[in-house]
Each structure stands twice: as structure tokens, then as C-alpha cells.
Amino acid sequence: MDSSSPTQSLIEQISSIDLPTTNGSLQPHVRQQLQGLVKKLSFALESPFETLNRLVVLVCREKHLQREPFQHAVVRVAIDLGLFGYMVEAGETGRTEDEIKSKTGVDAILLPRLLRTLAAIGLLRQLDEQHWVATDLTNVCTNPTIVCGLKFMFDFIGPVFQQLPSSLAKRNYRCPTATQGPLQDAYDTKLAGWEYILDPKFSDLLEDCNTFMKGRREGSISWLDFYPFADNVLADAAADPEAVLVVDVGGGLGHGLVEINKKFPQPKGRLILQDHLKTIEQAGIGAGVFEPMAHDFFKSQSVQGPKIFLIRQVLHDWPDQECRKILEHLAAAMSPGYSKVLINEFVVADVEASDFITGIDLVMMGMSGGMERTKSQWSNLLASAGLRIEKIWTLNDETESVIEAVLDASSVIYGNGKDAVAIKS
């Protein structure tokens, strides 16, 4: 950034302010004015996914506990009413309350109460007593990715969060497991979250979840933009075109492999997509880019000695015990001195972790007993499976890092499949 730019000058001015250690030293009207200005600035700077995070994930933050769940509920109502699209269509002229009432059928007493709530969180702007207009954030809420994320979080994850206090209390405040936690309490099931959601009654919600995850990945910075794939993978990959270059473990519909092929056209070696049969059937034949292969990552790995086992946003779905099983199967199938595991996941900061990351961590905990991990937690987990971290590439706190891991020379992998264990030499 140009040090002489107005934005940089503003940053320097704000940074130089000697802020009071407690807001009690400010007059109430001054504090409220500052809060209003900060809120407007925050709304203006938000990315679409930061808006989603604010509306959904941060409901457990103490200072928002009494407000944000209700605000999220009103956003969910607005989605059902088709309100956001209707307001965006009006452009800068906006809509009157009578027009909105005619379109939505909401009664005259309830409507302004809903509209005022949406305006308070930046999703509408009130021009006068009867006149409302869309904001940039209103447009964000017409994005299918955001809409599906809001619906999934409210409709499926919402009841899980409601169970969190009682669920933790009755288990003496121990970390939930994959099959014993708030999701099981909320839905009276013994299944793990990612198994339970496959129930046909949740087909619409599963579609919302998949749409959200696909859109989130497409809207995020690619790991290939900051990880040296050419130097660390392609440079010493086997020249044999029949050799396996990348196995994308739990890779969904194959978007990760398509991304690799797009950035590095016709890479030497085969690209293999692995996931459950239902997902592989959705992925189809791979469009000539990858080979689809039905595989359960809790079972023995059938592909031996690839250059890369790629595992993206999978391990945070599971507690350490399940992750260890997944990684042990990979370690048992790796070629020493050649194969690597690339893990594309968040690495939680040891100090001052962002609310974005801590919010996702709570979602993973509630959904399946999973977690976001710190560097030391990743190191310990990988070591328990006979692997060690070579290096971690991190762009920023809110982008998934790339953890490059190799077989630990001090560990020996005995056996294969379910009997594979890592033993320190």
C-alpha cells in the first residue's frame, strides 16, 4: 500500500489514538457516537463471508449473546420472504413500506419491526419513516452461497448451539466426540454429524451445505496462490505418466483437482479423487481431469506411493482419534523420501486468535466433535501418526494454511490398513 495514500494516512491516525482502557471514561453520548461510526466502518469493510460470519457464527460471543441469535432469525425470515432480492431490484430509489407490505404480505405492525432490525445490522438503510433502501450488504444476502450458508447454519446448526451448554455440562465439560456431543443431544441420534446429515429428510439442507462450501472455496484465496506447488511437487515428481501425482482424499466433487489442472495444465502423473460412493457418483467421470475412486478414508488406503496425498478441510471435521486413523492409513501408503501429505486447513494463532477462526472452531465442535488446531496441536497429531511437519505456509489468519508433512524418519510404520501403527524408533 502506498504510504502516502489517504487510507494509509487514516490507518496511521487511528493507530496513534490513545484509547481509554475502559469505556467508563467516556461520556455516554460520545461512546454511542463512536460505536455507531465504528459499526458503519466495519460494515463497509466486510467481505461477503465476513458478513456471513458476523450474522451466524458469532452468536456465542458474550457481548452479542442477547442480540445476534434474534437478528439471525430475522435474516432467515427475510430470506423466506424474498425481501433482499426485492430491495436490490429497486436500486437507489428503494421501496416504501406499503410496497414491501404488498409484496410480502407481512402485516403493518410486524413489518417495520423486521425492517428496523435489518437496518440495525447493515442489511437495509432507512431513508425516512416509511422509506427503505438496499445497501451493499443487502446485495450480499442475494448471493446463493451466502443464502445457503445462512439457511444451513440456522436450520441445522442452530439447534446444535442451543444444546451446547447443557451438553457440555452433562459430560463434565469434556470435549465432544464424533458421536457424543450437542448434535446428538439436539437430534436424538447416535450417528456422527456427517453421517446423520445424509438422512434423506435433510436432503435440502445437505444441498445448502454443499452449495455453501463450494461457493466459499471458489470465493476464497486459493492455496495454490501461495504454496510453491511447482517447486515442491512437480519438480521431483515421477516422470512416468502412469504414476500417481495427487490423491485428493475426501475431495468432494473434485474441485481441488480441477483447480490444480487449471493452474498447471496436464501435470505429469495421474490425479485421483477419493470420497464416499454417493459423492463420487455426483462427481461423475471427472471431465477427463481426474479419476474418481470410491473410498472410505477410515479404511486402508488403496493407492500406494503417490507424490501427494492432498487433504483439504477434512481433518477439522473430526476429533484427534479419528484424524489419527485417517493419517495412519496415509502414512502406511507413502513412499519414504518421496511422498508428502499436504493439509489445507486453518492453523489457529497461539495468541489473539480471530473471532472468525474461533467461531468456526465452535461449529466444528458442535457438528462432529471436530476442531481447528494450533501449530503445536497439528504437530502432535501428525507425530502420533508417524508424520512430521516440514513447513507451514500461512497467508493470513483467515485463510487456510498449507501444512506440508512427510514420514518421520524416527518412526516406523508397521503393517497396512487397519493394523498400521506408527512406532517411534
Side-chain angles (χ1 to χ4, degrees), residues 339-370:
S339 300
K340 299 179 181 180
V341 176
L342 296 184
I343 301 170
N344 186 206
E345 299 245 7
F346 289 113
V347 176
V348 181
D350 290 322
V351 179
E352 295 186 349
S354 71
D355 51 15
F356 178 80
I357 298 298
T358 56
I360 295 177
D361 180 54
L362 290 175
V363 173
M364 294 300 102
M365 179 177 70
M367 180 71 181
S368 55

Short mmCIF file of all heavy atoms in Angstrom, two decimals, residues 339-370:
data_model
loop_
_atom_site.label_atom_id
_atom_site.label_comp_id
_atom_site.label_asym_id
_atom_site.label_seq_id
_atom_site.Cartn_x
_atom_site.Cartn_y
_atom_site.Cartn_z
N SER A 339 6.95 -39.34 -1.05
CA SER A 339 5.56 -38.91 -0.83
C SER A 339 5.46 -37.82 0.23
O SER A 339 6.27 -37.75 1.16
CB SER A 339 4.70 -40.10 -0.39
OG SER A 339 4.68 -41.12 -1.36
N LYS A 340 4.43 -36.98 0.09
CA LYS A 340 4.12 -35.94 1.05
C LYS A 340 2.63 -35.91 1.30
O LYS A 340 1.83 -36.33 0.46
CB LYS A 340 4.56 -34.56 0.53
CG LYS A 340 6.04 -34.40 0.26
CD LYS A 340 6.34 -33.00 -0.28
CE LYS A 340 7.82 -32.82 -0.60
NZ LYS A 340 8.12 -31.46 -1.12
N VAL A 341 2.26 -35.40 2.46
CA VAL A 341 0.87 -35.09 2.76
C VAL A 341 0.74 -33.57 2.80
O VAL A 341 1.50 -32.89 3.49
CB VAL A 341 0.41 -35.68 4.11
CG1 VAL A 341 -1.02 -35.24 4.42
CG2 VAL A 341 0.50 -37.20 4.09
N LEU A 342 -0.19 -33.04 2.03
CA LEU A 342 -0.49 -31.61 2.07
C LEU A 342 -1.86 -31.43 2.73
O LEU A 342 -2.86 -31.95 2.23
CB LEU A 342 -0.50 -31.00 0.67
CG LEU A 342 0.81 -31.00 -0.10
CD1 LEU A 342 0.64 -30.27 -1.44
CD2 LEU A 342 1.94 -30.35 0.70
N ILE A 343 -1.87 -30.72 3.83
CA ILE A 343 -3.10 -30.47 4.58
C ILE A 343 -3.46 -29.00 4.41
O ILE A 343 -2.69 -28.12 4.78
CB ILE A 343 -2.91 -30.81 6.07
CG1 ILE A 343 -2.52 -32.28 6.23
CG2 ILE A 343 -4.17 -30.49 6.85
CD1 ILE A 343 -2.07 -32.65 7.63
N ASN A 344 -4.62 -28.74 3.86
CA ASN A 344 -5.08 -27.37 3.64
C ASN A 344 -6.15 -27.05 4.68
O ASN A 344 -7.33 -27.33 4.50
CB ASN A 344 -5.63 -27.24 2.22
CG ASN A 344 -6.00 -25.82 1.82
OD1 ASN A 344 -6.85 -25.61 0.97
ND2 ASN A 344 -5.37 -24.83 2.42
N GLU A 345 -5.71 -26.51 5.81
CA GLU A 345 -6.60 -26.24 6.93
C GLU A 345 -6.11 -25.00 7.67
O GLU A 345 -4.98 -24.55 7.49
CB GLU A 345 -6.60 -27.43 7.91
CG GLU A 345 -7.09 -28.73 7.33
CD GLU A 345 -8.37 -29.22 7.98
OE1 GLU A 345 -8.94 -28.48 8.79
OE2 GLU A 345 -8.79 -30.35 7.67
N PHE A 346 -6.97 -24.47 8.54
CA PHE A 346 -6.57 -23.35 9.37
C PHE A 346 -5.53 -23.78 10.40
O PHE A 346 -5.55 -24.90 10.90
CB PHE A 346 -7.77 -22.76 10.11
CG PHE A 346 -8.73 -22.02 9.22
CD1 PHE A 346 -10.01 -22.53 9.01
CD2 PHE A 346 -8.37 -20.84 8.62
CE1 PHE A 346 -10.90 -21.85 8.20
CE2 PHE A 346 -9.26 -20.16 7.79
CZ PHE A 346 -10.52 -20.67 7.59
N VAL A 347 -4.61 -22.87 10.71
CA VAL A 347 -3.71 -23.03 11.84
C VAL A 347 -4.03 -21.88 12.79
O VAL A 347 -3.81 -20.70 12.47
CB VAL A 347 -2.23 -22.98 11.41
CG1 VAL A 347 -1.31 -23.05 12.63
CG2 VAL A 347 -1.92 -24.13 10.45
N VAL A 348 -4.58 -22.21 13.94
CA VAL A 348 -5.05 -21.20 14.89
C VAL A 348 -3.86 -20.50 15.53
O VAL A 348 -2.90 -21.15 15.97
CB VAL A 348 -5.93 -21.85 15.98
CG1 VAL A 348 -6.44 -20.79 16.95
CG2 VAL A 348 -7.10 -22.59 15.34
N ALA A 349 -3.94 -19.18 15.59
CA ALA A 349 -2.87 -18.41 16.23
C ALA A 349 -2.80 -18.75 17.72
O ALA A 349 -3.82 -18.94 18.38
CB ALA A 349 -3.12 -16.92 16.05
N ASP A 350 -1.59 -18.83 18.25
CA ASP A 350 -1.40 -19.12 19.67
C ASP A 350 -1.89 -17.98 20.56
O ASP A 350 -2.30 -18.19 21.70
CB ASP A 350 0.07 -19.41 19.97
CG ASP A 350 0.54 -20.73 19.37
OD1 ASP A 350 -0.24 -21.69 19.39
OD2 ASP A 350 1.68 -20.79 18.88
N VAL A 351 -1.82 -16.77 20.02
CA VAL A 351 -2.23 -15.58 20.77
C VAL A 351 -3.17 -14.75 19.90
O VAL A 351 -2.93 -14.57 18.71
CB VAL A 351 -1.00 -14.72 21.18
CG1 VAL A 351 -1.45 -13.48 21.94
CG2 VAL A 351 -0.03 -15.54 22.01
N GLU A 352 -4.26 -14.28 20.49
CA GLU A 352 -5.22 -13.41 19.82
C GLU A 352 -5.79 -14.05 18.55
O GLU A 352 -5.78 -13.46 17.47
CB GLU A 352 -4.59 -12.04 19.50
CG GLU A 352 -4.22 -11.25 20.75
CD GLU A 352 -3.73 -9.85 20.43
OE1 GLU A 352 -3.48 -9.56 19.24
OE2 GLU A 352 -3.60 -9.04 21.35
N ALA A 353 -6.30 -15.26 18.67
CA ALA A 353 -6.98 -15.90 17.55
C ALA A 353 -8.21 -15.08 17.17
O ALA A 353 -8.89 -14.52 18.03
CB ALA A 353 -7.40 -17.32 17.94
N SER A 354 -8.49 -14.99 15.89
CA SER A 354 -9.59 -14.15 15.41
C SER A 354 -10.94 -14.76 15.75
O SER A 354 -11.08 -15.98 15.93
CB SER A 354 -9.48 -13.97 13.89
OG SER A 354 -9.81 -15.17 13.21
N ASP A 355 -11.96 -13.91 15.82
CA ASP A 355 -13.31 -14.40 16.08
C ASP A 355 -13.80 -15.27 14.93
O ASP A 355 -14.63 -16.17 15.12
CB ASP A 355 -14.29 -13.25 16.37
CG ASP A 355 -14.25 -12.16 15.32
OD1 ASP A 355 -13.71 -12.37 14.22
OD2 ASP A 355 -14.77 -11.06 15.61
N PHE A 356 -13.29 -15.04 13.74
CA PHE A 356 -13.64 -15.87 12.59
C PHE A 356 -13.24 -17.32 12.84
O PHE A 356 -14.04 -18.25 12.69
CB PHE A 356 -12.94 -15.32 11.34
CG PHE A 356 -13.17 -16.11 10.09
CD1 PHE A 356 -14.34 -15.97 9.37
CD2 PHE A 356 -12.21 -16.99 9.62
CE1 PHE A 356 -14.56 -16.70 8.21
CE2 PHE A 356 -12.40 -17.72 8.46
CZ PHE A 356 -13.58 -17.58 7.76
N ILE A 357 -11.99 -17.52 13.26
CA ILE A 357 -11.48 -18.87 13.49
C ILE A 357 -12.15 -19.51 14.71
O ILE A 357 -12.53 -20.69 14.68
CB ILE A 357 -9.95 -18.85 13.69
CG1 ILE A 357 -9.26 -18.33 12.43
CG2 ILE A 357 -9.44 -20.24 14.05
CD1 ILE A 357 -9.49 -19.17 11.22
N THR A 358 -12.29 -18.76 15.80
CA THR A 358 -12.89 -19.33 16.99
C THR A 358 -14.35 -19.70 16.76
O THR A 358 -14.85 -20.68 17.31
CB THR A 358 -12.78 -18.37 18.19
OG1 THR A 358 -13.37 -17.11 17.84
CG2 THR A 358 -11.32 -18.13 18.56
N GLY A 359 -15.01 -18.93 15.89
CA GLY A 359 -16.40 -19.26 15.55
C GLY A 359 -16.49 -20.57 14.78
O GLY A 359 -17.33 -21.42 15.07
N ILE A 360 -15.63 -20.73 13.78
CA ILE A 360 -15.62 -21.98 13.00
C ILE A 360 -15.27 -23.15 13.90
O ILE A 360 -15.83 -24.26 13.76
CB ILE A 360 -14.64 -21.87 11.82
CG1 ILE A 360 -15.12 -20.81 10.83
CG2 ILE A 360 -14.51 -23.22 11.10
CD1 ILE A 360 -14.18 -20.58 9.68
N ASP A 361 -14.35 -22.94 14.82
CA ASP A 361 -13.96 -24.00 15.76
C ASP A 361 -15.18 -24.49 16.54
O ASP A 361 -15.37 -25.70 16.73
CB ASP A 361 -12.88 -23.47 16.71
CG ASP A 361 -12.43 -24.51 17.72
OD1 ASP A 361 -12.03 -25.61 17.29
OD2 ASP A 361 -12.47 -24.23 18.92
N LEU A 362 -16.03 -23.57 17.00
CA LEU A 362 -17.23 -23.95 17.73
C LEU A 362 -18.21 -24.72 16.85
O LEU A 362 -18.86 -25.68 17.30
CB LEU A 362 -17.92 -22.72 18.31
CG LEU A 362 -17.20 -22.01 19.46
CD1 LEU A 362 -17.94 -20.74 19.84
CD2 LEU A 362 -17.07 -22.93 20.66
N VAL A 363 -18.33 -24.32 15.58
CA VAL A 363 -19.20 -25.05 14.66
C VAL A 363 -18.71 -26.49 14.49
O VAL A 363 -19.49 -27.44 14.53
CB VAL A 363 -19.27 -24.34 13.30
CG1 VAL A 363 -20.04 -25.20 12.28
CG2 VAL A 363 -19.95 -22.98 13.43
N MET A 364 -17.40 -26.65 14.29
CA MET A 364 -16.84 -27.98 14.11
C MET A 364 -17.03 -28.83 15.37
O MET A 364 -17.35 -30.02 15.29
CB MET A 364 -15.35 -27.90 13.78
CG MET A 364 -15.02 -27.26 12.43
SD MET A 364 -15.74 -28.16 11.04
CE MET A 364 -17.15 -27.12 10.64
N MET A 365 -16.85 -28.22 16.53
CA MET A 365 -17.04 -28.94 17.78
C MET A 365 -18.48 -29.42 17.92
O MET A 365 -18.74 -30.57 18.29
CB MET A 365 -16.68 -28.04 18.97
CG MET A 365 -16.87 -28.71 20.32
SD MET A 365 -16.35 -27.68 21.71
CE MET A 365 -17.61 -26.41 21.68
N GLY A 366 -19.43 -28.55 17.60
CA GLY A 366 -20.83 -28.91 17.72
C GLY A 366 -21.29 -29.91 16.69
O GLY A 366 -22.09 -30.81 16.97
N MET A 367 -20.77 -29.79 15.49
CA MET A 367 -21.21 -30.63 14.38
C MET A 367 -20.72 -32.06 14.52
O MET A 367 -21.48 -33.01 14.29
CB MET A 367 -20.71 -30.03 13.06
CG MET A 367 -21.08 -30.81 11.82
SD MET A 367 -22.83 -30.70 11.44
CE MET A 367 -22.93 -31.75 9.98
N SER A 368 -19.45 -32.24 14.88
CA SER A 368 -18.88 -33.59 14.81
C SER A 368 -17.78 -33.85 15.83
O SER A 368 -17.07 -34.84 15.71
CB SER A 368 -18.31 -33.83 13.41
OG SER A 368 -17.37 -32.81 13.08
N GLY A 369 -17.65 -32.97 16.81
CA GLY A 369 -16.56 -33.12 17.76
C GLY A 369 -15.22 -32.72 17.18
O GLY A 369 -14.17 -32.98 17.76
N GLY A 370 -15.24 -32.07 16.00
CA GLY A 370 -14.02 -31.64 15.34
C GLY A 370 -13.46 -30.38 15.96
O GLY A 370 -13.99 -29.86 16.94
#
